[in-house]
Amino acid sequence: MVVQAVAPPLRGAALSAQRWANLTFLHWPVEPDAVQRFMPAGVRPDVIDGVTYVALVPFQMRGAGPGGRLRVPYFGDFCETNVRLYSVDDEGRSGIVFRTLESDRLSTTLLARWGLGLPYTWSKMRAVHAGDLWRYTSARRWPRTGRHPLRSELTVRVGDPVEPTPLEVWLTARWGLHTRLAGRTVWIPNEHGAWPLHSADILGLDDDLVAGTGIPVTGEMLRPLFSPGVRTTFGLPIVVSR
């Protein structure tokens, strides 16, 4: 399946806009049948060469706010780490299904959980930059599962710019997300430019989040990628299934 690295333009009004900054993408293969239960009604795992993937993506949110232009100081700037799966609906709209979105901003966590049906959690987080090194840390505060908080720690050394492979374009060029909202499955479209991607070497990885969401990986990690980020705009939800 050919995926374009640049999004088609949004139609209609903008729901929100934000900048995703200083991301690291880590991907592992998973069996589609093993993650079907995590898909909302009317959605199935998106596959390429018979395989789908799970991603761990830590980054910094910058300038998030409603509409296409308004930025909200403080509330729109925070650290985030998400665990995501890849999805497609019967209309052929590909996207992402989030299993968790760790955030260090409680107000944003509550708004996104109750307003958009997204599984945001409140966590203690940091993203520290020193030269060509990035270190991301996260420890969940709420909602807790078990006696110990789920944690994630990742340190990478950022390398030279790279050209993405067709698989890496397929994984990163996602122009929407699927979620349940008010008892319905919806697809929320987004648009942004092509990702500027760099190589990344992992210097340390200790993560509970992927396993903690119940996703069994079945193979070796793909090559890590880093991006300084993109500015993105989300459109209004489109109903997929009731």
Side-chain angles (χ1 to χ4, degrees), residues 33-225:
D33 290 347
V35 295
Q36 177 61 57
R37 63 194 176 102
F38 300 126
M39 298 288 143
V43 176
R44 62 187 183 275
D46 204 0
V47 300
I48 183 168
D49 297 327
V51 179
T52 192
Y53 290 84
V54 61
L56 178 73
V57 186
F59 66 101
Q60 295 174 305
M61 185 78 78
R62 292 288 179 261
R69 298 181 181 275
L70 181 63
R71 302 185 183 190
V72 181
Y74 177 77
F75 296 102
D77 297 328
F78 51 90
C79 292
E80 182 174 317
T81 295
N82 63 60
V83 175
R84 70 191 205 181
L85 297 168
Y86 295 92
S87 56
V88 64
D89 60 38
D90 289 340
E91 297 297 322
R93 292 173 293 222
S94 61
I96 290 166
V97 168
F98 290 107
R99 291 292 293 132
T100 184
L101 302 100
E102 312 288 308
S103 164
D104 65 351
R105 192 72 74 227
L106 178 59
S107 56
T108 301
T109 297
L110 298 176
L111 178 63
R113 284 179 74 93
W114 296 334
L116 293 173
L118 295 173
Y120 266 87
T121 64
W122 183 37
S123 300
K124 182 180 180 180
M125 308 183 75
R126 292 188 71 193
V128 179
H129 178 216
D132 59 355
L133 300 181
W134 277 92
R135 184 170 186 263
Y136 313 88
T137 61
S138 176
R140 185 174 300 177
R141 289 169 160 162
W142 178 87
R144 292 280 290 268
T145 55
R147 295 180 59 186
H148 303 289
L150 293 179
R151 298 177 179 273
S152 184
E153 297 185 5
L154 171 65
T155 302
V156 298
R157 173 174 285 119
V158 178
D160 294 330
V162 296
E163 286 297 320
T165 66
L167 172 58
E168 289 165 343
V169 173
W170 187 90
L171 290 166
T172 57
R174 291 278 146 172
W175 312 127
L177 67 90
H178 291 103
T179 188
R180 293 289 289 179
L181 182 61
R184 302 176 295 181
T185 300
V186 299
W187 182 71
I188 303 177
N190 70 66
E191 67 169 356
H192 58 73
W195 287 102
L197 294 171
H198 293 246
S199 64
D201 293 324
I202 296 178
L203 303 185
L205 174 61
D206 185 7
D207 176 70
D208 298 331
L209 296 178
V210 173
T213 61
I215 299 172
V217 303
T218 58
E220 296 296 318
M221 181 195 301
L222 303 183
R223 72 167 174 172
L225 294 170

